[in-house]
Every structure is written in structure tokens, then in C-alpha cells.
């Protein structure tokens, strides 16, 4: 069985109860009895001193009669709930407040049995049937000890007093125990149950099940932890989805060219494709191989941006000139498709701080898309504007546009809109993902405005180098 916190806590609670009970029953009980014994003895000693110095001495001197002294002793004994005796040096009981007659003699009476203390417990030379507390004071006349005043009180009375105190201690312990029980209840509701929920959810997460929600809505550390874990699970589950989608896309994009290459190669080898047709199919194979090459290149490129701290080769260059150069590289295709460019540049040079080769790649991808998704006989407009220490670069076409629900997805790896699939079968869907990574490592922004069937405009920013103006 798995060890959990709760049984340990309950065990601790029970141990606390039992130890508390035993402490009171043994330790507190003994200490209390000792204390009561000492306290009572001291009270009785004060009393016996008084009796010895006044009444007993007067009796010895003969200034008080035996009856007077006895009746006085009886009154004091009743008040003290004790027995008072006057004993001669040889153990003869001269006066007693109890039922014993005064002629009794205590056998083996020896006052030195008290030692250095003024009190002792026991049966007092077997004159009592039970444990008794005995206190003595010497009766001194003319500096000579003539006898002793003894006060005896049954230990039973002291034990009864102690039991009263101990009962109070037990009741206090019961109240403390009850308070601890309430505390445990509170702890169970506010800490233990939520922690158990969190532990269960964490176990589910570790098994890859991210659907488990932790239902804790408190405004404390535990609530905060639960909310964080819920958030983490949601993020992990989308991450997992993304990863699955990514692998499916990669596999699909690699499989289709490979399948067609394999098909054509087999057909050429077994003679299905006649010799004179082979060139055409070898060209297709070459194109497919190029596509695979591009795919691999793009993925490697993207992987580079995935790792943090991509090194940029920042320099100051004229973005207008860069645009013109990139546009030139598309002249051949544009002539084929009868697409023309309109460049509305800042008029003068616009120097920016950026990694030139990477920005060329951005422009290349955006213009490539604009051409691919434009209709023949249309114009692509490229515009640069300076505003607030930034240069805004816009690439705008009047092509097929992007459906509204695809607007966010175009930045994802391998994503292609359904509209575009008919127009461009070669695309990998990685171009814009790379564009976004490049712009974001420059700490700049890129946005898209598009209307399906009307056209698309991509706008991104670069930091302006103001020292290099015309
Ligand atoms: P690659 O860039 O690798 O050749 P691709 O062009 O299909 O492939 P991206 O550049 O990432 O991939 O673009 C993703 C998708 O966004 C495109 O497939 C297309 O559906 C849509 N898209 C991008 N630019 C435009 C545009 N100018 N007009 C319409 N749709 C666009
Ligand atoms: Mg592209």
C-alpha cells in the first residue's frame, strides 16, 4: 500500500492523545500529590508550632487545665480535619483530639525517625491503619524540650484533593484534543483534500493524460498551484497536438514526392516508360528531388530559429535597394505570368539595421507567395514608408486572398489554405513560418491583411538607421 500523509497525521494525533493522557496519569499526578503534601505539611507545621508554643506549653506549666487544652485542640483539629496529639518524650500520648485515650503509649516512639524533616508519611509507629501525613513541633520550656505536638492528616484526603486537580487536567486535555480534532478537520478540507486532487492530476499528467482538470478555486497558494497546473496541462496538450500534427505533416510532405519518384524509377526500370519518354519523367523526378531538398533545407532553417539566441549578422543597409535586387530575381517568372511590379519606395534610400541575407529571404518568400497566389495580368505593389524610427515594408497582391479562418494558421509550419492548393502544388508551407521566425528574432513585427478573392498585404517593420539619410 502506498504511504500517504493522512494516516501518519491521524497516528500522530492518536499518539498525542495517548501520550497526553499518560503524562497526566503518571507524571502530573505524582507531581501534584508531592506538591499538595508539601503544602499541607507546611500549613500543619505552622499550626503545630502555634499550638506547641502556646497551649501545650501552658498545659505543661499548669496554667491551663487538661480539659481546656483538649477542647481547644478538638476545635482546631475539626477545623483542620486532622488529629492533634501531645506526646511526651518517651512516647506517652498526653492529649489527643481523636478517639484514642490519653493513657495510650506509642510503642518504639522515636522522634529522630523524622530525620531532618518536620513531616513524614506512613502509619506513624503503627498507630494509624492507613497512610497518614504526620507533622511535629517540639514543646520547649526553659530551653528544654518537654514533649511534642503532632498533627496527623490521612493521605487519603490529600489524594482526593489531587484527584480533583487531575480531573481538571483531564478536562483541559480533552478540550485541547477536541481543538486539535477541529484543526485536523480544517487541515483536511483546506490542505489535504486539495493536495490529494493535485497529486492525482499530476499522476494523470505524467501518464500523458492532460484532460484531467484540477477543480480548486481558492485564493491561496494551493489555488494558485492548481491554476498553474491546469494551465500547464492545457499548454502541454496543445503542444502534444501540435507535435503530432507536425510529424503527420512532415511524413506526408516527404512521402508524396518519394512515392512519385519511386513510381517513375520503377516504371523506367521495367520498361513501362519507353526510352524516348524517359527524359520527361526524369525531369519530374528531378523536380521532386528539388522539392525534397527545399523541404529539408527549410526544416533545417526553422530548426535553427527554434534554438534560442540565433546569431544575427546585423548591419546597416538600404532596404529600397535590397527590394529592387530581390524583385529583379523574379523577372523571368513574372514575364511568364504577365505580372508586373509597382515599387512605391521612400524616394531616397532607407537604411535599416538588420541581417541583410535574412531580410532578403523574407522578401523572397513574401514576393514568391504574392506571385504564386496572384492571377495573371496583375500587379504586385511593394511599398516602404518611414514612421516613428521604423521602416514599414509592405508586399501587396490582388490574388486569391486568404480565408478568414486561415489567417492565424498561415504562420504554422506546413499550413496551406485549401484555396492555394490548386494554384501551388510544390509549396511546403514552411515559407511564412521562416519569415515569422526571422522577423521575431529581429524583435520586429509582421502582420497580414487579406480579403478572400480580393488580395493580400503583408507588412513588416525594421529599425531605421537615422544617421544614414539623404
Ligand atoms: P513555400 O513557401 O515553402 O513554397 P507555401 O508558399 O505554400 O510554401 P507559406 O509561404 O508558408 O507556404 O504560405 C502558407 C500558406 O499561406 C500558403 O500555402 C497559402 O495558402 C497562404 N498564403 C501565403 N501568402 C499568400 C498570398 N499572398 N495570397 C494568398 N494566400 C497566401
Ligand atoms: Mg511561400
Amino acid at each position: 500500500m502506498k504511504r500517504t500523509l493522512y494516516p501518519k497525521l491521524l497516528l500522530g494525533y492518536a499518539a498525542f492523545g495517548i501520550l497526553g493522557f499518560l503524562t497526566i496519569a503518571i507524571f502530573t499526578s505524582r507531581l501534584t500529590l508531592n506538591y499538595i503534601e508539601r503544602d499541607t505539611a507546611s500549613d500543619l507545621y505552622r499550626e503545630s508550632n502555634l499550638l506547641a508554643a502556646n497551649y501545650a506549653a501552658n498545659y505543661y506549666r499548669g496554667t491551663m487545665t487538661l480539659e481546656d487544652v483538649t477542647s481547644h485542640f478538638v476545635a482546631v483539629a475539626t477545623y483542620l480535619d486532622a488529629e492533634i496529639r501531645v506526646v511526651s518524650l518517651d512516647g506517652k500520648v498526653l492529649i489527643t483530639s481523636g478517639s484514642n485515650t490519653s493513657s495510650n503509649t506509642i510503642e518504639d516512639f522515636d522522634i529522630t525517625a523524622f530525620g531532618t524533616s518536620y513531616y513524614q508519611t506512613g502509619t506513624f509507629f503503627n498507630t494509624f491503619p492507613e497512610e497518614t501525613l504526620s507533622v511535629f513541633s517540639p514543646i520547649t520550656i526553659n530551653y528544654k524540650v518537654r514533649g511534642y505536638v503532632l498533627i496527623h492528616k490521612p493521605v487519603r484526603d490529600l489524594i482526593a484533593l489531587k484527584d480533583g486537580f487531575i480531573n481538571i487536567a483531564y478536562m483541559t486535555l480533552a478540550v485541547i484534543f477536541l481543538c486539535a480534532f477541529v484543526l485536523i478537520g480544517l487541515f483536511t478540507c483546506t490542505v489535504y483534500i486539495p493536495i490529494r486532487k493535485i497529486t492525482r492530476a499530476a499522476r494523470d499528467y505524467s501518464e500523458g493524460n492532460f484532460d484531467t482538470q484540477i477543480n480548486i478555486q481558492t485564493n491561496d497558494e494551493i489555488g494558485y498551484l492548481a491554476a498553474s497546473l491546469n494551465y500547464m496541462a492545457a499548454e502541454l496538450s496543445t503542444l502534444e497536438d501540435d507535435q503530432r500534427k507536425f510529424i503527420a505533416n512532415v511524413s506526408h510532405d516527404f512521402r508524396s514526392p518519394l512515392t512519385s519518384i519511386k513510381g517513375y524509377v520503377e516504371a523506367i526500370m521495367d520498361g513501362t516508360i519507353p526510352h524516348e519518354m524517359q527524359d520527361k519523367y526524369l525531369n519530374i523526378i528531378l523536380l521532386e528531388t528539388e522539392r525534397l531538398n527545399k523541404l529539408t533545407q527549410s526544416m533545417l532553417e526553422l530548426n535553427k530559429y527554434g534554438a534560442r539566441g540565433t546569431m544575427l549578422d546585423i548591419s546597416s543597409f538600404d532596404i529600397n535597394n535590397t527590394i529592387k535586387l530581390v524583385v529583379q530575381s523574379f523577372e523571368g517568372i513574372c514575364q511568364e505570368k504577365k505580372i508586373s511590379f509597382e515599387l512605391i519606395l521612400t524616394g531616397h534610400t532607407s537604411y535599416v539595421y538588420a541581417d541583410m541575407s535574412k531580410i532578403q529571404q523574407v522578401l523572397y518568400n513574401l514576393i514568391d507567395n504574392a506571385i504564386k497566389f496572384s492571377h495573371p495580368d496583375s500587379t504586385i505593389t511593394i511599398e516602404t514608408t518611414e514612421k516613428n524610427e521604423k521602416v514599414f515594408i509592405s508586399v501587396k497582391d490582388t490574388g486569391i486572398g486568404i480565408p478568414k479562418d486561415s489567417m492565424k494558421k498561415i504562420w504554422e509550419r506546413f499550413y496551406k489554405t485549401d484555396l492555394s492548393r490548386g494554384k501551388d502544388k510544390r509549396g511546403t508551407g514552411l515559407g511564412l513560418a521562416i519569415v515569422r521566425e526571422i522577423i521575431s528574432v529581429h524583435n520586429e513585427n509582421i502582420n497580414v491583411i487579406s480579403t478572400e478573392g480580393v488580395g493580400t498585404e503583408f507588412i513588416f517593420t525594421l529599425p531605421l538607421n537615422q544617421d544614414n539619410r539623404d
Side-chain angles (χ1 to χ4, degrees):
M1 211 185 86
K2 233 168 85 179
R3 288 191 167 256
T4 59
L5 210 63
Y6 207 56
K8 285 183 203 161
L9 189 80
L10 289 182
L11 209 73
Y13 179 66
F16 164 70
I18 294 168
L19 276 178
F21 177 79
L22 287 178
T23 309
I24 292 179
I26 300 167
F27 189 65
T28 317
S29 176
R30 183 150 311 161
L31 281 185
T32 312
L33 186 61
N34 282 349
Y35 175 77
I36 292 174
E37 216 170 78
R38 244 179 298 123
D39 194 55
T40 314
S42 133
D43 282 353
L44 295 182
Y45 182 60
R46 224 177 304 126
E47 208 64 46
S48 68
N49 269 343
L50 208 75
L51 294 176
N54 297 308
Y55 302 97
N58 285 344
Y59 165 70
Y60 271 94
R61 285 191 196 102
T63 49
M64 265 181 106
T65 63
L66 180 66
E67 284 73 31
D68 281 350
V69 177
T70 308
S71 72
H72 192 80
F73 276 22
V74 169
V76 175
T78 313
Y79 168 70
L80 292 177
D81 200 10
E83 186 176 332
I84 304 175
R85 292 172 180 175
V86 174
V87 180
S88 67
L89 294 178
D90 54 2
K92 199 152 184 258
V93 180
L94 304 174
I95 303 169
T96 177
S97 69
S99 49
N100 292 344
T101 57
S102 54
S103 61
N104 274 356
T105 304
I106 300 167
E107 269 179 46
D108 303 329
F109 177 73
D110 178 12
I111 202 67
T112 58
F114 279 84
T116 52
S117 177
Y118 57 84
Y119 73 95
Q120 64 158 216
T121 52
T123 52
F124 196 68
F125 305 104
N126 293 324
T127 55
F128 291 101
E130 57 178 337
E131 280 276 291
T132 306
L133 173 71
S134 306
V135 176
F136 86 95
S137 293
I139 304 163
T140 319
I141 298 168
N142 295 336
Y143 307 109
K144 246 184 109 188
V145 176
R146 303 287 296 269
Y148 305 99
V149 171
L150 288 149
I151 305 182
H152 307 280
K153 200 173 167 75
V155 171
R156 181 175 20 97
D157 289 356
L158 308 186
I159 289 176
L161 190 62
K162 177 219 56 170
D163 285 347
F165 282 130
I166 290 302
N167 281 343
I168 293 172
Y170 280 135
M171 274 191 282
T172 313
L173 177 72
V175 171
I176 292 173
F177 204 60
L178 210 73
C179 288
F181 189 74
V182 172
L183 271 181
I184 284 191
L186 272 176
F187 171 82
T188 307
C189 295
T190 57
V191 178
Y192 179 68
I193 293 176
I195 293 253
R196 204 171 55 177
K197 279 187 191 167
I198 290 175
T199 316
R200 278 190 193 149
R203 197 179 49 213
D204 283 357
Y205 297 160
S206 71
E207 285 164 2
N209 177 11
F210 299 113
D211 296 335
T212 312
Q213 278 279 318
I214 308 169
N215 193 13
I216 301 170
Q217 259 93 32
T218 50
N219 230 345
D220 52 16
E221 286 85 349
I222 290 186
Y224 184 69
L225 176 68
S228 307
L229 282 176
N230 279 336
Y231 177 74
M232 183 197 78
E235 288 291 297
L236 282 177
S237 87
T238 53
L239 202 72
E240 209 186 28
D241 274 0
D242 284 354
Q243 217 156 14
R244 223 175 283 141
K245 231 184 284 166
F246 178 77
I247 290 171
N249 285 332
V250 174
S251 321
H252 176 262
D253 271 61
F254 272 90
R255 203 176 49 206
S256 35
L258 283 174
T259 317
S260 76
I261 291 170
K262 183 172 175 263
Y264 290 134
V265 170
E266 277 172 356
I268 290 170
M269 281 174 78
D270 64 17
T272 319
I273 294 173
H275 203 68
E276 57 281 11
M277 297 282 280
Q278 276 182 10
D279 266 5
K280 181 186 160 195
Y281 289 100
L282 281 174
N283 262 328
I284 298 178
I285 291 172
L286 190 66
L287 280 177
E288 292 289 16
T289 325
E290 273 167 9
R291 196 168 110 80
L292 278 176
N293 207 14
K294 182 182 164 194
L295 197 68
T296 320
Q297 286 285 332
S298 304
M299 282 181 58
L300 284 174
E301 179 90 3
L302 263 178
N303 220 24
K304 218 164 53 191
Y305 293 110
R308 295 212 167 264
T310 311
M311 293 292 283
L312 290 178
D313 183 13
I314 300 283
S315 62
S316 172
F317 63 92
D318 175 17
I319 187 73
N320 290 349
N321 190 43
T322 312
I323 291 171
K324 283 179 208 152
L325 289 176
V326 176
V327 166
Q328 268 172 25
S329 68
F330 282 100
E331 251 168 19
I333 309 169
C334 288
Q335 269 172 7
E336 255 174 54
K337 279 189 84 176
K338 298 205 175 69
I339 288 173
S340 58
F341 282 100
E342 186 183 358
L343 304 186
I344 311 174
L345 305 178
T346 43
H348 48 83
T349 52
S350 267
Y351 278 84
V352 291
Y353 281 119
D355 185 323
M356 189 162 92
S357 68
K358 300 238 155 52
I359 297 305
Q360 274 175 337
Q361 204 179 343
V362 168
L363 287 167
Y364 184 91
N365 281 340
L366 293 182
I367 297 170
D368 179 53
N369 283 352
I371 295 170
K372 275 195 300 193
F373 305 116
S374 277
H375 308 293
D377 290 318
S378 61
T379 304
I380 293 168
T381 312
I382 304 177
E383 196 175 343
T384 53
T385 32
E386 289 177 9
K387 202 170 157 191
N388 300 335
E389 297 167 23
K390 297 266 179 211
V391 180
F392 288 74
I393 302 118
S394 134
V395 179
K396 189 171 166 186
D397 64 59
T398 50
I400 57 171
I402 302 167
K404 221 174 173 179
D405 52 347
S406 298
M407 290 286 270
K408 271 195 179 147
K409 298 186 190 147
I410 54 166
W411 307 104
E412 289 174 12
R413 298 167 182 204
F414 297 107
Y415 184 81
K416 296 192 230 171
T417 66
D418 292 335
L419 271 185
S420 69
R421 281 178 206 279
K423 271 202 158 318
D424 169 46
K425 292 197 177 64
R426 297 245 171 90
T428 60
L430 290 171
L432 284 181
I434 294 174
V435 165
R436 193 177 61 164
E437 291 291 349
I438 293 177
I439 299 298
S440 88
V441 290
H442 278 85
N443 281 330
E444 294 295 326
N445 293 305
I446 180 157
N447 272 312
V448 59
I449 306 163
S450 182
T451 311
E452 197 178 331
V454 177
T456 308
E457 181 178 11
F458 283 92
I459 307 165
F460 66 95
T461 55
L462 287 177
L464 179 67
N465 175 5
Q466 283 170 322
D467 304 336
N468 238 326
R469 307 185 89 155
D470 309 316

